[in-house]
Amino acid sequence: MKKATFKLVILAITLVVLFVLSFRYYGDWLWFQNLGYESVFETMLWARLATFAFFFLLFAIVAFVNIAIARRNGRFIRSFYSTGANQPKVLNIAGDSKFSGYVWTLYLLIFSLMMGLGTMNFWELFLKYIHATPFGVNDPVFGKDAGFYVFKLPVYLFLKGWYLTSMFIIIAGVLFSYATDKAIAMKGGKPVLHPRASIHLAVLTGFYLLGVAWSYLLKQYQVMFSTKGVAFGASYTDIHALVPGYRIMMILVLIVALLLMIMPWLKKWKPVIYAAIAYVVVWVVMILILPGAMKQYIVKPNELEKEKPYIINNINLTRKAYGVDKIQEKPFPADQSITWSDIQSNRNTIENIRLWDSRPLIQTYKQLQEIRLYYDFKSVDIDRYPFQKYNQVALAARELPASQIPGRARTWVNIHLMFTHGYGVVMNPVNKVTPNGMPEFVIKNIPPQSEVPLQIKQPQIYYGEEMNEYVIAHTTMKEFDYPKGDKNVYTTYSGTGGVQLKNVLRRLVFAWTFSDIKILISGYITRDSRMMFHREITDRDKKIAPFLMYDGDPYLVLGEDGKIYWIHDAYTTTSMFPYSEPVRQNLSEKGVNYIRNSVKVVIDAYNGSVTYYVIDPSDPLVRTFSNIYPRLFKPIQEMPDFLKSHIRYPSDLFTIQNAIYNIYHMTNPQVFYNQEDLWNVPTEIYQESEQRMAPYYITMKLPEGDSEEFILMLPLTPSRKDNMVAWMCARCDAGHYGDLIVYSLPKEKLIYGPMQIEARINQKPDISSELTLWGQKGSRVIRGNLLIIPINHSFLYVEPVYLQSEQSQMPELKRVIVSFKDRTEMKESLDDALRAVFAPAEAGAGSIYTNISPQVETAPETPEKPSDKASEALQYYNRALEYLKHEDWAGYGKELEKMRKVLEEMAGEKKK
């Protein structure tokens, strides 16, 4: 092959690669530009290119120099052997060296590309290293700021790995070069290196060992993440055996490396051999033997005493890493002394008790409000809106995912041009029920009909939780907007979302990107058409800021401006916070050991605009990212007030913090060591099966609060016990947002936990028999979420019961169970159940709960004395009929029994 031809081939391959990459990156740049984040894209792109170029050139230069030296030495060796009188037998590996120049060029090109491309995904490490922000928290062993471990140590570990890999490849290449140049001779049946080759390889091996020495230096810092002790982080054995061992090993490796590097002048192998033997001996003693022996004979006999300082380190830094050190711990008497008057005085709390569990509610939404088969509700969100008063509501977006379009209608035009968006939302108060057990909608139907002071002016949803197909809006093909009777209403997009396809180049780019030639040739597309992709909100914000972790539950907000928004909680995380116990959640497969909810992401459902608001500017990670991307983040003060009022504490973060606090509320090292006071998340019954209770949003007045507020809470139980030991909450409303409180219950009292209440429900004959009877009539009984409601230093337990036909997927709310102290009652409405629990005589003041379902008027337990027995019997008969009307079989039986006794008395008097 001629050199010119070879160069042309390389140039052609390079141009093809650049052409493909330019198409890909140009399409992405257009998308970022449409959102106003082209600077973010350019920062990430240039960081990738700079990282690749630096390591590509670094490897290429070092490898080229060493290969050049090896080839020059090889030519000398070949000439030496070719003139010798007694030329020894050589290992001829390469054969004809006619193409050696091409071979070494390909070697340099291929491995330089490998070592460059392999670094491109680590560009973020270097940006964070350059813009590192101190944490202000030092590790207690080496005195390093936590920022060293989060921002710098990962870079050092990466560079160490890259350096050792590069040196290994270069040494292998040099060795191959010497072999092909006949520098390996056979003497006495053994291969022997020429002195020039052996010195070159010795120096390179010395440089390789410098990397090994560096790895031992870094290993001592990695003990901050050790799992060998009783707590996560450096233990007694790590500090007193491994760290000294690593330091000694580093010194010995440095000695061997320096001896090898001065081999051109030393020219003696014995010092190197002695140093290498010392290295092996020390490695066996200090790394293999000593740590195990120290742990077995020094630590374990006195484990608590030896490990106590390191347990304290783990407790303190873990609590800081997850923010649980800021949890306020307060006592909660749990005196269980509330009365009917307390129920009345906490009317706002009672009227916001969530009777509609989001799990059966989503099925009801689908049956009642999807309207057409191509619509879908992905999830139900819980929020609060100040209509006439503070109301807790459930709401969901009516989306139109491509998967819902019937098979025969799944044409390219329908999927990408016509069925482009969902339409409207549904909303219902969490406590309101119609007489037939359905949710009482305050926003419903298509077009949206609102019964509250909240109007949806822009109901189209182009960006949502299920929008996973690209669409092209504003084409000559009218877009389906919503159904209207036997006809459909059509529309044309008028927003700013998507990339405008104003020229053929852009259409070509996206045709290439999506492997769809129709984008280029379709006659429906004009220069005003807009290409919308990354429409799924969990993908959209992650595409812009992939360095953040995101909550699994983005939620819907209806703005005062008539628009629909999504709020998505974003987290800054790391797995490199010293001494902090890692947790594994959906946020990250590898686990994290530091987390902050520093960013709130707001996405416009119509235009697709994405705004990142910093809610925790004290977080060092978000400050670092703000330095890297100065145009990405905005302060929370710039968020519109109507959106601020809907900020809530994220459930994923709360779950993680709760998991940590269940262990790390034990701040006494001895208690922690013995795990004496380990807490757990309780279980509950849902659909007749036991499952772990999830945190739930409720509206209530905290013991120290002046009025009701929106909180996220979860009861807690001791490990392997069912009684409640505490409850944890996060405040969501402005002024106290993010405050975490744990209310500890008296240890001398038995406070029922969720499963104990569930057991009491199962053991109550009238309740269990009625639920069993329902389940035998072709219906399925669904027991909803058990809510524990703190009221005035007492707990009220509420569980809704739904009935679902086997032929239908539409659960109906049929009963509400209320439990307090030793009383448990199941009634048709919450008001009835509360009255039954808090004694009819005391509850005679009137209903506090309206618009639920017909109430069963409960007469006094002891009837007034009638003028005659017949009047008394008639009272019992009428009340029995009332109970029968509402299918309260227990009450019906009691009234019949009382009537029977009166009639018997009347019969006895007649005989007399």
Side-chain angles (χ1 to χ4, degrees), residues 34 60 124 173 201 255 331 439 457 539 541 574 599 614 654 699-700 836 858 910:
N34 173 252
E124 185 186 322
L201 289 168
I255 291 172
K457 300 175 183 177
D539 170 60
D541 48 15
T574 181
V599 179
V614 175
F654 187 81
T699 300
M700 61 164 287
T858 308
K910 188 174 182 180

Side-chain angles (χ1 to χ4, degrees), residues 603-666:
I603 301 171
D604 186 314
Y606 186 77
N607 289 317
S609 61
V610 185
T611 310
Y612 296 79
Y613 294 101
V614 175
I615 196 169
D616 183 6
S618 65
D619 173 36
L621 276 167
V622 83
R623 287 161 60 192
T624 297
F625 290 132
S626 296
N627 292 334
I628 298 171
Y629 310 103
R631 298 182 182 178
L632 177 61
F633 299 102
K634 293 182 178 180
I636 194 65
Q637 291 77 12
E638 295 186 18
M639 178 184 281
D641 290 338
F642 67 83
L643 288 176
K644 285 182 189 176
S645 64
H646 293 282
I647 288 175
R648 69 184 194 186
Y649 202 83
S651 58
D652 281 355
L653 175 60
F654 187 81
T655 300
I656 291 173
Q657 289 177 315
N658 174 256
I660 290 296
Y661 189 80
N662 285 346
I663 302 171
Y664 286 89
H665 72 275
M666 298 181 286

Side-chain angles (χ1 to χ4, degrees), residues 724-748:
M724 198 157 64
V725 69
W727 60 284
M728 181 176 179
C729 74
R731 305 175 78 172
C732 300
D733 289 345
H736 298 286
Y737 174 82
D739 290 353
L740 294 174
I741 308 174
V742 170
Y743 293 94
S744 300
L745 308 184
K747 293 187 177 181
E748 66 275 9

